[in-house]
Amino acid sequence: QVQLVESGGGLVQAGGSLRLSCAASGRTVSYYTMGWFRQAPGKEREFVAAISWSGGSTYYADSVKGRFTISRDNAKNTVYLQMNSLRPEDTAVYYCAASKYSSTVIAGEYDYWGQGTQVTVSS
């Protein structure tokens, strides 16, 4: 079993930056694909970014490409999401997830989920 805990969310002005962290416990996630998803009020959960187990491959939603960077530190069992140039439309609850599938961006293929952290971007 894997437990995921997100942190680093908060309130930021448009154009600002935040760094989300996702700490895993219970089992190493070194061989899992790790992903970030988000859900805004009244909207479905959507893919944001994913990183392969080695960190060698990364994937981004078009809406965040060039602004967000996903990374991981397997020694610390932690995944990060650096978010720059934030926009009001980035406001959502951000979820960390772990998948045994290789490099998937599909929410249904993720096995473990965190509780989420709120990110609010004011205009």
Side-chain angles (χ1 to χ4, degrees):
Q1 195 75 334
V2 174
Q3 291 81 43
L4 302 173
V5 178
E6 303 94 337
S7 62
L11 174 64
V12 64
Q13 287 189 330
S17 298
L18 283 174
R19 188 194 196 201
L20 304 184
S21 298
C22 172
S25 62
R27 179 185 293 181
T28 179
V29 293
S30 298
Y31 299 104
Y32 284 74
T33 294
M34 299 299 294
W36 287 94
F37 292 77
R38 67 186 182 187
Q39 187 166 18
K43 295 188 177 181
E44 293 188 355
R45 190 171 298 190
E46 65 173 358
F47 168 74
V48 175
I51 187 167
S52 63
W53 71 269
S54 68
S57 297
T58 56
Y59 309 86
Y60 297 95
D62 288 343
S63 59
V64 307
K65 205 170 292 184
R67 299 187 299 122
F68 291 10
T69 302
I70 188 171
S71 61
R72 66 190 299 163
D73 185 338
N74 286 340
K76 295 183 178 180
N77 233 18
T78 301
V79 179
Y80 307 97
L81 185 68
Q82 178 67 43
M83 305 186 295
N84 299 328
S85 302
L86 283 161
R87 305 167 179 168
E89 53 264 39
D90 294 319
T91 295
V93 177
Y94 282 71
Y95 298 90
C96 173
S99 173
K100 292 191 287 286
Y101 287 90
S102 175
S103 302
T104 179
V105 302
I106 300 172
E109 293 183 344
Y110 281 77
D111 305 285
Y112 303 102
W113 292 82
Q115 292 299 306
T117 185
Q118 176 71 47
V119 171
T120 303
V121 184
S122 63
S123 57

